[in-house]
Amino acid sequence: MSRRPDMTQAEAEKVLDLPERYGTDELRQAFKALAQEYHPDNAARNGISQQFAQQRMIEVNRAYATLKRLFDANPSQTIHRDLVSGAAHNRGVGVHVAPSGDRSVETQLDDSLFWDENGNPRSAVMENEANVAVDAPGHGLRRTLLGPALLRLVFITLLGLVWWRTFPLLPDNRANFDMSPTAPLSSLVEVLMAAVYPSYFLLYEIFAGGFSGAVREIVNGIVSNVTRVHVEVRRKGSYRSSLSGFVRNQVYGLLELPLAALSAVRGMDVAGTSQIVRFVAAGVLVVDALLGFFGTGIVVSAARWLSDLIEKHYVTMRMDMLKRCGQWASARHGR
């Protein structure tokens, strides 16, 4: 008797009708629901023949056994559903079109299969194919100028120059600030802001590359729409929006404290309602800054909301851009 061939992940997920992302709970729930429907004790009551129910239960059990093994190493992980199998037959072949109009790369993948709804690559295969497909020939200079290494070096250099010209404790800059014991509070706040902001932005770019990543994404989108050719110049595997990460990952508590000090100091120079408003604003900023260090607060929540909004639409906008640029078509319909 021949051995039944192993069921693939994609086949098993189709049998159990799992969502695009699923964990052990979703896997067990899907299995339990189907088992109850096709169990011999329930089949007749559900209007299902015993023979069909038995065949169906064999498939359900094989599918569950196949997918259950994926969670052996990490039971708490979330798995992205494999939607690749059969793509070439069911959804057409993805075709990358060079600037000259000739097909330069063909993949057995439709563009909508690369990413899920949250902007993550569906699998390592998707990630590698996407990197190949969007690397349009004839745009080497653009890839160099907007490349992560060069652009980040440019931003670090520019921010470093700003820091060098403004940091108050450097000998050449001390003359621009009043740091004497009798200096007014407004002067001390100026020193604080000149010390915090340039240093923060420089360190943020050095360790996170936030500014250059966001600018690279924006410029790449603008140029792609103008030239009608999309060239991906982000780091391999980085398919989440750089702009979204830039908005979300700031240390907003640190950025708010100098503004709170500025508002309080300026409140001392006025009277009446203006003074009350500035003192209240300073108090709100201080409280929100302290909350920000714990991952909450008004500014952090607003930044998180904006980041999620950017991320939500990033993949859709990116794929629409590819289609507008004419870099993807279906081999089924031709070009």
Side-chain angles (χ1 to χ4, degrees):
M1 183 176 179
S2 60
R3 180 178 179 272
R4 187 187 296 271
D6 292 336
M7 183 177 287
T8 65
Q9 177 184 340
E11 291 170 340
E13 290 164 340
K14 183 177 181 180
V15 168
L16 297 178
D17 193 23
L18 291 165
E20 287 195 356
R21 287 185 175 189
Y22 62 93
T24 53
D25 290 341
E26 290 79 11
L27 178 60
R28 282 194 294 265
Q29 290 171 5
F31 171 74
K32 184 177 179 180
L34 291 173
Q36 289 176 344
E37 181 178 0
Y38 295 108
H39 192 276
D41 296 340
N42 300 329
R45 186 166 53 250
N46 294 329
I48 302 172
S49 68
Q50 290 290 334
Q51 183 179 2
F52 180 80
Q54 184 179 9
Q55 293 176 346
R56 185 66 170 149
M57 275 306 305
I58 291 175
E59 290 184 344
V60 170
N61 284 323
R62 288 180 62 211
Y64 181 71
T66 297
L67 298 178
K68 189 174 182 296
R69 292 195 294 266
L70 302 178
F71 294 95
D72 289 344
N74 183 8
S76 63
Q77 71 173 321
T78 297
I79 291 180
H80 300 271
R81 183 169 176 177
D82 182 4
L83 300 177
V84 182
S85 298
H89 303 289
N90 300 328
R91 303 191 64 174
V93 179
V95 179
H96 170 66
V97 182
S100 62
D102 300 326
R103 291 177 180 174
S104 58
V105 177
E106 288 193 2
T107 68
Q108 300 301 312
L109 306 168
D110 190 19
D111 52 14
S112 61
L113 297 178
F114 280 152
W115 299 272
D116 63 18
E117 73 281 4
N118 294 314
N120 299 311
R122 297 189 186 279
S123 69
V125 175
M126 300 293 96
E127 185 175 327
N128 292 333
E129 292 289 356
N131 279 324
V132 172
V134 297
D135 190 5
H139 290 264
L141 178 61
R142 176 180 166 191
R143 290 182 64 85
T144 300
L145 294 177
L146 286 178
L150 179 60
L151 194 61
R152 190 170 182 180
L153 180 61
V154 169
F155 266 83
I156 289 175
T157 302
L158 293 175
L159 292 171
L161 289 174
V162 172
W163 180 87
W164 184 260
R165 297 296 299 271
T166 59
F167 192 68
L169 298 182
L170 293 178
D172 292 342
N173 299 329
R174 289 179 181 175
N176 299 325
F177 301 93
D178 185 359
M179 292 183 285
S180 63
T182 59
L185 283 177
S186 58
S187 297
L188 297 180
V189 171
E190 291 178 3
V191 172
L192 175 65
M193 299 183 72
V196 171
Y197 288 126
S199 302
Y200 172 85
F201 294 142
L202 175 60
L203 291 174
Y204 185 79
E205 180 61 32
I206 290 175
F207 291 105
F211 288 97
S212 58
V215 169
R216 181 168 61 250
E217 185 170 289
I218 294 171
V219 173
N220 205 26
I222 294 174
V223 176
S224 294
N225 277 283
V226 172
T227 64
R228 314 302 291 177
V229 176
H230 179 73
V231 179
E232 182 60 274
V233 292
R234 289 142 55 78
R235 282 196 172 93
K236 179 180 177 181
S238 178
Y239 284 97
R240 298 189 69 86
S241 169
S242 296
L243 181 59
S244 172
F246 175 75
V247 172
R248 176 183 288 266
N249 297 329
Q250 304 299 321
V251 185
Y252 287 103
L254 181 63
L255 296 176
E256 287 180 273
L257 286 175
L259 294 177
L262 179 64
S263 181
V265 169
R266 289 186 173 177
M268 297 179 183
D269 297 332
V270 295
T273 304
S274 297
Q275 184 180 62
I276 295 174
V277 169
R278 294 184 182 184
F279 282 161
V280 170
V284 170
L285 285 171
V286 169
V287 173
D288 196 59
L290 295 177
L291 293 174
F293 288 114
F294 295 97
T296 184
I298 299 173
V299 174
V300 171
S301 298
R304 188 176 293 123
W305 172 83
L306 180 59
S307 174
D308 290 341
L309 184 65
I310 295 171
E311 193 64 48
K312 179 180 179 181
H313 296 288
Y314 173 66
V315 175
T316 301
M317 290 189 294
R318 186 173 186 274
M319 297 317 302
D320 286 344
M321 182 190 300
L322 285 171
K323 293 173 183 177
R324 286 198 306 273
C325 294
Q327 287 188 255
W328 284 99
S330 173
R332 179 180 299 172
H333 299 96
R335 275 185 62 87

